Amino acid sequence: MSSSREEESIIPSREAIEVSRYMRDAKPAHYILKINSFSLLSQSGIQKYESIDFEAGGYKWRLFLYPIGNTKRNVGNHISLYLSISDTRSFPQGWEVNVQFKFFVYDHIRDKYLTIQEADDRIWRFHWLKTEWGFDKLLPLELFYDTSSGYIYEDSCVFGAEVFVNKYEGTIHCLDMKKETKYLTYTWKIDCFSAVKEVLKSDNIEVGDLKWNLVLHPKGKGEHEGKFLQLGLEVADDGTLPRKWKVDVKYKLQINDQLTHKHEEIEDDEWLCDSSKQVIYRKFMLRSDLMEEKRGFLVNDTLIVEAGIKVIAMMKNLT
């Protein structure tokens, strides 16, 4: 392990600073991020994780975590962690926010928090040109994965942050990485399709602790109305959703060609959250293709939609 005082690079400046690392008993005052199945972050291709906003000192903040290092800054074999101020569009011209912040990594063996901060109690100045500060090399991966260090236990870990501006705020989020590798498949059969005039939603589909609906606009909406069939996926809001959730979902959407099996399909992934619950493909397929008899999408006026849904990660508010 490196000494308690060493030189690190920060964002956005490349100047060298002295970093202090020490253990303490008290948990972080403002934000705790628990990650289950941490190794799946990189295996899932998530090079950068952006947390949900948390509040401290009357402002909104978020963490940017790079589980194998910030490659854009040529950093590898380390965990990179940064603090960013959020929701600044309403701030007055020439705004700035001066803070002191600390990062934390929980030691499961010793029941203590490794505390990382600038050694000389530096005041960090956030403003419109510099909205993000942090450490390129928070911890070496070799040390982080060393079982004797206690930073990762059963592939779970805990990071934290304290941001001191004016007052105390407390929020806890949990990022739960899912181990499921198979898509849950769902078939939606729509009879008497030509009589459908309004938006249709499928029955609820339960995947990854959430309920989902397929959403179909038979004639499209807006500027594409009458030209395209629109198809999408949404999180069903039945009144049981947690506060400030965020989910990474991979999905396949398909309109079946019932004659030649040349299906119209798309495969993608998306982060959805409480303020953006659905993804809609407004030009999923041309209605002229849909209605063409030899294409086989409509047989006896029946349309068949198939979907595969797989939840990769789920963020929940634990407070």
Side-chain angles (χ1 to χ4, degrees):
M1 183 176 179
S2 59
S3 63
S4 60
R5 292 175 180 264
E6 63 186 58
E7 289 190 346
E8 297 279 0
S9 61
I10 58 177
I11 277 188
S13 172
R14 291 185 179 273
E15 64 184 280
I17 63 171
E18 284 192 310
V19 177
S20 172
R21 290 181 169 87
Y22 58 92
M23 289 292 184
R24 84 175 201 190
D25 294 323
K27 69 180 181 181
H30 299 133
Y31 187 67
I32 293 175
L33 171 62
K34 179 181 179 183
I35 302 179
N36 297 328
S37 303
F38 180 83
S39 62
L40 293 182
L41 270 176
S42 56
Q43 293 176 23
S44 301
I46 301 175
Q47 297 182 355
K48 173 186 176 182
Y49 174 72
E50 181 177 327
S51 78
I52 294 177
D53 287 351
F54 63 95
E55 293 188 4
Y59 296 91
K60 294 182 179 180
W61 311 86
R62 64 182 60 181
L63 296 184
F64 295 160
L65 173 70
Y66 295 77
I68 58 173
N70 186 353
T71 56
K72 292 182 179 180
R73 292 177 59 82
N74 297 318
V75 178
N77 300 316
H78 285 77
I79 291 173
S80 301
L81 187 62
Y82 310 103
L83 176 71
S84 175
I85 190 167
S86 302
D87 199 17
T88 61
R89 289 176 295 180
S90 62
F91 287 12
Q93 184 176 2
W95 68 268
E96 68 176 58
V97 180
N98 297 304
V99 306
Q100 291 178 316
F101 68 85
K102 303 174 183 178
F103 290 148
F104 301 83
V105 185
Y106 181 60
D107 183 339
H108 294 79
I109 296 175
R110 300 160 189 85
D111 191 25
K112 293 180 181 293
Y113 286 87
L114 174 66
T115 306
I116 303 103
Q117 65 181 103
E118 197 275 332
D120 297 323
D121 293 327
R122 172 177 177 165
I123 300 296
W124 302 84
R125 179 171 170 259
F126 290 78
H127 55 89
W128 70 281
L129 286 176
K130 295 182 181 180
T131 60
E132 181 179 320
W133 294 93
F135 301 102
D136 290 333
K137 297 180 179 180
L138 188 81
L139 276 179
L141 289 178
E142 181 179 1
L143 173 63
F144 182 76
Y145 281 107
D146 185 346
T147 55
S148 64
S149 70
Y151 300 132
I152 193 160
Y153 178 72
E154 295 182 348
D155 207 21
S156 294
C157 56
V158 177
F159 296 93
E162 285 183 351
V163 184
F164 293 100
V165 181
N166 292 317
K167 61 183 180 179
Y168 172 89
E169 296 287 345
T171 304
I172 301 175
H173 291 145
C174 177
L175 176 64
D176 191 3
M177 300 300 300
K178 304 297 183 181
K179 296 182 179 180
E180 291 84 357
T181 57
K182 295 183 178 180
Y183 286 94
L184 185 144
T185 58
Y186 178 83
T187 301
W188 186 19
K189 185 177 179 182
I190 305 173
D191 296 319
C192 302
F193 180 80
S194 60
V196 177
K197 305 300 181 183
E198 303 297 330
V199 176
L200 287 182
K201 292 188 179 183
S202 70
D203 293 335
N204 287 345
I205 312 163
E206 294 191 15
V207 184
D209 299 327
L210 292 173
K211 296 176 182 177
W212 304 81
N213 298 130
L214 301 180
V215 181
L216 184 143
H217 301 264
K219 295 185 178 181
K221 293 181 67 177
E223 62 179 312
H224 303 303
E225 186 171 355
K227 298 179 181 179
F228 292 92
L229 177 143
Q230 298 179 359
L231 184 63
L233 178 70
E234 72 173 12
V235 177
D237 190 354
D238 59 358
T240 63
L241 289 173
R243 295 187 303 111
K244 292 189 176 181
W245 56 271
K246 188 175 182 180
V247 62
D248 182 16
V249 59
K250 289 187 177 180
Y251 53 87
K252 303 175 183 178
L253 301 176
Q254 176 176 296
I255 303 293
N256 283 2
D257 179 340
Q258 302 169 56
L259 297 180
T260 64
H261 304 291
K262 296 180 180 179
H263 309 306
E264 194 77 20
E265 59 186 1
I266 191 167
E267 183 175 355
D268 208 344
D269 68 273
E270 191 78 29
W271 280 96
L272 300 178
C273 63
D274 53 347
S275 61
S276 180
K277 298 183 178 69
Q278 67 174 209
V279 54
I280 299 292
Y281 291 90
R282 303 191 182 280
K283 298 167 68 174
F284 187 85
M285 69 177 300
L286 286 165
R287 279 187 56 83
S288 58
D289 292 340
L290 176 69
M291 306 305 293
E292 189 175 347
E293 291 185 6
K294 66 180 181 180
R295 295 296 301 273
F297 294 114
L298 283 174
V299 176
N300 297 325
D301 204 22
T302 295
L303 184 78
I304 298 177
V305 182
E306 289 195 4
I309 305 171
K310 177 168 58 174
V311 171
I312 303 300
M314 178 72 184
M315 167 64 78
K316 297 180 181 179
N317 189 334
L318 301 183
T319 53

